[in-house]
Amino acid sequence: MSTGARGQHARVLDVLGLAITAGEHPPGSVLRTDELAERLGVSRSVMREAVRVLESMCLVESRRRVGVTVRPVEEWNVYDPQVIRWRLAGADRPHQLRSLTVLRSAVEPVAAGLAARNATPEQCAELTECALGMVATSRGGQLEGYLVHDIAFHRVVLNASGNEMFAHLGDLVAEVLAGRTHHRVMFEDPDPAAVTLHVQVAEAVRAGDAVRAEELTREITVGALRELDILAP
Amino acid sequence: MSTGARGQHARVLDVLGLAITAGEHPPGSVLRTDELAERLGVSRSVMREAVRVLESMCLVESRRRVGVTVRPVEEWNVYDPQVIRWRLAGADRPHQLRSLTVLRSAVEPVAAGLAARNATPEQCAELTECALGMVATSRGGQLEGYLVHDIAFHRVVLNASGNEMFAHLGDLVAEVLAGRTHHRVMFEDPDPAAVTLHVQVAEAVRAGDAVRAEELTREITVGALRELDILAP
DNA sequence: CGAACAAAAAGTCAGACTAATTAATCACAG
DNA sequence: CTGTGATTAATTAGTCTGACTTTTTGTTCG
């Protein structure tokens, strides 16, 4: 899925990035560009471009006479969408989902508060539509349909906040929600209380009630934290 | 300052990244790799590597037969430290600082709450030390010294939260604090109330009082928002 | 209006050469 | 004999060049 066949460069980048984030080539290990190029069957040009991109993500450091060194995890650009995708595809997916969910719990309530102040009428309408869609798909095992509306809902809130840093977390939230749905026991309908909360958030935003929108969204994210046992019940 | 003389690649990347984020080459404009290489006096290899990195930051899109197209701002990887540096160096620095400060106001209180639960004794000691350093430099125009302790303080809190996504915002917060100090009227000592709040946060974290740490940090960030007139006074 | 064709740009490859950095070697003084 | 400093050698990334391929788009012709 993540490997589109669009050119050698992307393919090689994906393979290497995945390998590094997956923990083979642990931090400190050194790779040689030429050897990698040969191993993956590409020219040095292509491999060099891939290494440069990995370097810009702080996954590796390239130094003369020594080679390409894998950097410690703490230095990786963990906000890079590609890095996030690689890590979600690997072994520390659970850990990654927890980190992202905690981030959500900090950001989304504030974003909802801002949305209540800044949302355009169009965005309010869109939000209500999403909430209604969630209600309509909340029963009878229509999990995929529910997911679509859920993702759209949170994306609209983040965009409506008017803050570009928040808006950019849309993909991230989508990733978390999708991950949650696809790793939960299927056939289990979403929590009715959560559905209600979404409807109420949409209403609060439309009414311009920032405090209420923030508080309701906080309840939603608290629920998400509880699902992962990050919070004590 | 951002342009170290470490190789052609880094130089070219910096020049191009700055130019794009500064708004010359507006979104939609198309550049040709060969022409750029010639203009900047480097070989195609080097230019191609730079373009690939810019592409991974979603600043540009490279397509056959058309060229390198500058993408709209909304698609840029705004969490990439390099992109942030470029934008802070450019004309929309004020806008950037506002966005980052709002992000801070969402993240730091939650991070402080987590820190109160997770901080090690060493981190608590470090935090207290930072707070004392802030007190010691809070009068008499020792703004640079104060800034150092302030940055260290917030960095420790973010690290102590135990969440890697929060920890990675340390550089970002440092950038914001430095920007604020250096653009404010010099010779103006920091708000005594803010200094007190930092001391109290350190104390709350040491005591393991998550709610109080969160609330106090929220007051700090609210103050930061007010400074930028994001909040009504 | 559709299909064949031509042009333009990025993508890929191969090879030669450069430069920086580390490691080994060797000479010399203590 | 040993430690230390400078010189040399080896290794790897960095850079450049030129040829060739592939994809996409615009054009032309049926």
Side-chain angles (χ1 to χ4, degrees), chain A residues 121-198:
Chain A
E122 291 75 30
Q123 287 169 326
C124 291
E126 214 174 332
L127 211 56
T128 304
E129 199 176 336
C130 292
L132 291 182
M134 291 177 72
V135 172
T137 53
S138 63
R139 288 171 174 273
Q142 316 176 50
L143 285 171
E144 285 302 328
Y146 181 82
L147 176 61
V148 170
H149 291 113
D150 196 9
I151 289 176
F153 181 94
H154 291 275
R155 211 186 277 280
V156 171
V157 170
L158 290 169
N159 284 330
S161 75
N163 183 299
E164 65 177 352
M165 303 301 287
F166 288 167
H168 266 272
L169 297 176
D171 292 336
L172 198 143
V173 171
E175 211 60 73
V176 174
L177 294 177
R180 189 176 58 165
T181 296
H182 295 146
H183 276 62
R184 198 158 40 172
V185 190
M186 284 303 193
F187 311 118
E188 183 184 335
D189 284 343
D191 180 10
V195 179
T196 304
L197 281 170
H198 281 78

Side-chain angles (χ1 to χ4, degrees), chain B residues 104-105 107-113 153-154 157 197 201 205 211-223:
Chain B
R104 276 190 65 197
S105 76
V107 166
E108 292 208 62
V110 176
F153 181 94
H154 290 276
V157 170
L197 281 171
V201 168
V205 168
V211 174
R212 185 166 159 77
E214 178 170 342
E215 194 46 51
L216 288 166
T217 303
R218 208 171 289 281
E219 284 189 47
I220 292 178
T221 58
V222 163

Side-chain angles (χ1 to χ4, degrees), chain A residues 13-14 17-18 21 54 57 82-90:
Chain A
L13 178 63
D14 211 56
L18 220 70
T21 55
L54 291 174
M57 298 169 174
Q82 186 123 61
V83 173
I84 293 180
R85 243 171 286 138
W86 286 330
R87 299 185 74 187
L88 282 176

Side-chain angles (χ1 to χ4, degrees), chain A residues 25-102:
Chain A
H25 313 308
S29 30
V30 286
L31 314 168
R32 269 167 307 123
T33 307
D34 293 16
E35 196 240 328
L36 285 174
E38 193 182 5
R39 175 137 53 95
L40 297 179
V42 292
S43 69
R44 290 203 316 280
S45 331
V46 169
M47 183 52 68
R48 281 186 54 74
E49 287 167 20
V51 167
R52 274 278 146 80
V53 171
L54 291 174
E55 197 174 24
S56 91
M57 298 169 174
C58 297
L59 260 65
V60 302
E61 187 183 4
S62 180
R63 286 178 59 199
R64 267 164 162 157
R65 168 61 207 242
V66 38
V68 177
T69 312
V70 178
R71 304 179 70 168
V73 191
E74 312 88 64
E75 297 175 9
W76 297 354
N77 278 181
V78 288
Y79 284 89
D80 188 303
Q82 186 123 61
V83 173
I84 293 180
R85 243 171 286 138
W86 286 330
R87 299 185 74 187
L88 282 176
D92 56 346
R93 178 193 179 89
H95 173 256
Q96 183 75 5
L97 280 178
R98 280 164 185 269
S99 297
L100 297 179
T101 302
V102 172

Side-chain angles (χ1 to χ4, degrees), chain A residues 55-59 71 74-81 83 165, chain B residues 2 6 13-14 18 21 53 56-57 59 76-89 96 100 155 167-173 175:
Chain A
E55 197 174 24
S56 91
M57 298 169 174
C58 297
L59 260 65
R71 304 179 70 168
E74 312 88 64
E75 297 175 9
W76 297 354
N77 278 181
V78 288
Y79 284 89
D80 188 303
V83 173
M165 303 301 287
Chain B
S2 63
R6 71 274 189 224
L13 178 63
D14 211 56
L18 245 131
T21 54
V53 171
S56 91
M57 298 169 173
L59 260 64
W76 297 354
N77 277 181
V78 288
Y79 284 89
D80 188 300
Q82 186 122 61
V83 173
I84 292 179
R85 243 172 286 138
W86 286 331
R87 298 185 73 186
L88 282 175
Q96 183 76 5
L100 296 179
R155 214 187 276 278
H168 266 274
L169 297 175
D171 292 336
L172 197 145
V173 171
E175 213 56 78

Side-chain angles (χ1 to χ4, degrees), chain B residues 17-33:
Chain B
L18 245 131
I20 292 177
T21 54
E24 74 192 84
H25 312 308
S29 27
V30 287
L31 313 168
R32 269 169 309 125
T33 307

Side-chain angles (χ1 to χ4, degrees), chain B residues 124-176:
Chain B
C124 290
E126 214 176 329
L127 210 56
T128 304
E129 200 177 335
C130 291
L132 291 181
M134 290 176 71
V135 171
T137 52
S138 62
R139 288 172 173 273
Q142 314 176 53
L143 285 171
E144 284 302 329
Y146 180 83
L147 176 61
V148 170
H149 292 112
D150 196 8
I151 288 176
F153 181 94
H154 290 276
R155 214 187 276 278
V156 172
V157 170
L158 290 169
N159 285 330
S161 74
N163 183 298
E164 66 176 354
M165 302 301 287
F166 288 166
H168 266 274
L169 297 175
D171 292 336
L172 197 145
V173 171
E175 213 56 78
V176 174

